[in-house]
Amino acid sequence: MRAFFLSSLGNIGLTYATNTTGTNNTTAANVTMVQLSADTDFHFEILRDLAAASYGSGDIGEVLTAAYEIVPGNFESFYSSFNTLANRVYNAAQNIDARMFPVSARDTFFRASTYFRSADFYLHGNQSDPRIDSLWAQQTTAFDSAIALIPIPGKRVNITTSSGFYVPAIWYKAAGPNKCRPTVIVGGGYDGGQEELYAQMGVNALERGWNVLTYEGPGQASVVRDQHLGFIVEWEKVVTPVVDYLHTLPEVDTAAIALVGLSFGGLLAPRASAFEPRLAATLALDGLYQFGQLVLEQFPTVLAEIFNSGNKTAFDNAVNTFRASPKASTEFRWFVDQGTWAFATKSPFDWMTQLQAYTLNGVTDLIPGPIFIADSATDTFFTGQGAVLASKLRNRSTYYEFDVASGVGHAGIGGFRMQNQVALDWLQGIFCKC
């Protein structure tokens, strides 16, 4: 989930350069970032695709060309521009002889997958829109074609649980001699799919000689689509079966398994680690102590008051009216759309009610550590949440704030290589002790 705030209908936005503090000793005074759209939320999503280019899952020129065609605030325009790009790139990939040119085919399929995901991003306001499923099928097909062409092909697995659902995962085995190796479990948050995680962190971890497993749980991309399940608080019900699965693989050093949570996963991963003692380390990028209360505090006061009154009908009507208003920002519209979809409801009141349970209050004493917790100085929604979580965990945590000059935004968007350098270097130090 991206960084934004919901202070009023007329003033809802994201600013990338107001906080000039940081802990990496880089001078950041007056640092700004070029805006890729007059719509600040569209800027973030375009930057997301540019960030993927850092590890070969996008290309800068074609993303910027697509961005030029997007009308600020127009969700259909965003869809159309990226859908056109995705189909063009996918068709190019299909025309490459993968046996003769496997690298070219692989890279082109990766790019197409990224763009299909972007085309889907703003469509969840109409939960019956058939494009939600068809675009995801296209991105999955493109991604599977790509990971079939990496040195050791990625493998999709469905991990059974005792909770009535399965965990879709992708297993990436590290190249090199067959031996037990450290393994990183990587999970996303409020809006991303696990395919995105390959470029975000998977490639870097594989280059370090580690195995990688990405996954999705209830509330996340394919689980909502295929199993019709919204988010659950008890994230250990997702992670523990994943750890069980890794313990069956001979190439996994079971003493060196780490769990990474990105974005909203910065709350889900620490929560799971409190109930899963077999983890060598946990990383929260970015750290999040409480989510529901934070969201409610960022809502316009009038909406918060209606919610607190317990009047479901009034809250649903008010949110839906605000959402339809021409004054409603892209951030507000998207956040409600994505939230109700990911929490498997059409009622904003039910969604907001469920959100209030997402807190680490009462759980932090159970989190064993070591845990790496990050903040981004440009994250205006999660601002300071990582520091709050670190303060609760005290010497069990290592805290790091990426300052404005680093370009590392929410969940590392805009600075994947910098985030991986800092976070995975820390993790490498932990693995060396295992």
Side-chain angles (χ1 to χ4, degrees):
M1 194 191 75
R2 85 292 311 290
F4 69 98
F5 64 95
L6 302 169
S7 60
S8 71
L9 285 180
N11 182 21
I12 300 174
L14 178 154
T15 302
Y16 270 85
T18 57
N19 186 341
T20 60
T21 63
T23 59
N24 62 2
N25 298 318
T26 301
T27 301
N30 301 317
V31 172
T32 59
M33 179 179 285
V34 170
Q35 296 298 289
L36 304 172
S37 172
D39 185 310
T40 54
D41 203 64
F42 283 4
H43 161 86
F44 184 87
E45 289 309 312
I46 295 164
L47 182 63
R48 193 171 186 161
D49 283 4
L50 291 182
S54 181
Y55 285 102
S57 289
D59 217 352
I60 295 170
E62 62 193 11
V63 171
L64 293 178
T65 300
Y68 183 76
E69 301 296 325
I70 297 172
V71 178
N74 188 316
F75 288 4
E76 284 296 320
S77 171
F78 197 96
Y79 153 76
S80 179
S81 188
F82 275 105
N83 185 58
T84 298
L85 175 58
N87 279 289
R88 181 176 64 78
V89 174
Y90 183 73
N91 290 337
Q94 288 186 304
N95 288 326
I96 297 172
D97 185 337
R99 291 171 297 178
M100 182 173 291
F101 308 112
V103 173
S104 293
R106 177 201 67 197
D107 289 355
T108 311
F109 279 122
F110 272 136
R111 287 159 43 218
S113 181
T114 296
Y115 305 146
F116 280 125
R117 289 195 300 275
S118 290
D120 161 78
F121 196 79
Y122 289 102
L123 300 181
H124 298 178
N126 176 8
Q127 296 184 17
S128 62
D129 190 329
R131 294 174 295 179
I132 295 173
D133 289 336
S134 63
L135 286 166
W136 210 255
Q138 288 174 290
Q139 80 88 25
T140 302
T141 297
F143 191 82
D144 287 352
S145 298
I147 62 173
L149 297 170
I150 61 179
I152 299 180
K155 175 185 176 183
R156 287 191 183 268
V157 294
N158 289 329
I159 301 170
T160 59
T161 75
S162 61
S163 301
F165 61 87
Y166 64 86
V167 179
I170 305 176
W171 167 248
Y172 304 94
K173 182 178 179 295
N178 288 326
K179 63 177 183 178
C180 291
R181 294 175 180 272
T183 300
V184 184
I185 305 168
V186 187
Y190 192 76
D191 58 64
Q194 66 172 317
E195 291 81 4
E196 178 182 27
L197 304 176
Y198 176 76
Q200 196 162 0
M201 182 166 282
V203 173
N204 192 287
L206 288 165
E207 289 175 342
R208 293 169 185 260
W210 306 339
N211 304 311
V212 174
L213 185 139
T214 62
Y215 75 94
E216 292 171 355
Q220 296 177 325
S222 66
V223 181
V224 178
R225 289 173 171 85
D226 299 336
Q227 301 180 64
H228 311 293
L229 297 174
F231 274 108
I232 59 173
V233 173
E234 303 89 350
W235 206 245
E236 62 275 12
K237 293 182 178 180
V238 180
V239 170
T240 289
V242 170
V243 177
D244 289 341
Y245 171 75
L246 292 178
H247 274 245
T248 70
L249 303 180
E251 52 266 70
V252 173
D253 179 351
T254 56
I257 298 174
L259 175 65
V260 179
L262 294 150
S263 188
F264 182 34
L267 183 148
L268 301 175
R271 158 77 198 203
S273 74
F275 303 95
E276 177 44 73
R278 294 171 292 178
L279 298 171
T282 304
L283 295 86
L285 308 169
D286 300 320
L288 180 58
Y289 179 66
Q290 56 188 7
F291 190 45
Q293 181 181 338
L294 186 67
V295 172
L296 188 58
E297 288 174 350
Q298 300 296 327
F299 256 57
T301 301
V302 62
L303 289 181
E305 289 175 348
I306 296 172
F307 175 78
N308 287 328
S309 76
N311 190 328
K312 175 180 177 178
T313 300
F315 186 76
D316 286 349
N317 289 339
V319 170
N320 290 332
T321 299
F322 280 10
R323 191 238 174 266
S325 167
K327 294 182 179 180
S329 73
T330 295
E331 291 96 333
F332 183 90
R333 294 156 57 204
W334 172 83
F335 194 64
V336 173
D337 292 351
Q338 179 64 24
T340 49
W341 182 81
F343 281 80
T345 180
K346 293 185 178 180
S347 163
F349 184 87
D350 289 345
W351 159 65
M352 185 65 76
T353 300
Q354 290 185 63
L355 280 182
Q356 302 314 302
Y358 288 82
T359 174
L360 293 177
N361 183 30
V363 178
T364 51
D365 287 346
L366 302 176
I367 298 172
I371 178 169
F372 181 91
I373 301 170
D375 268 333
S376 167
T378 64
D379 191 335
T380 56
F381 187 68
F382 281 11
T383 303
Q385 279 285 302
V388 173
L389 178 57
S391 72
K392 303 291 184 181
L393 295 170
R394 299 182 295 279
N395 60 2
R396 287 168 286 159
S397 68
T398 297
Y399 173 76
Y400 190 95
E401 183 186 61
F402 291 98
D403 71 9
V404 178
S406 71
V408 178
H410 176 76
I413 300 298
F416 287 164
R417 288 190 177 273
M418 177 65 178
Q419 178 173 263
N420 288 334
Q421 171 201 324
V422 175
L424 297 188
D425 282 1
W426 174 87
L427 181 57
Q428 189 163 330
I430 299 297
F431 281 158
C432 286
K433 301 174 184 177
C434 292

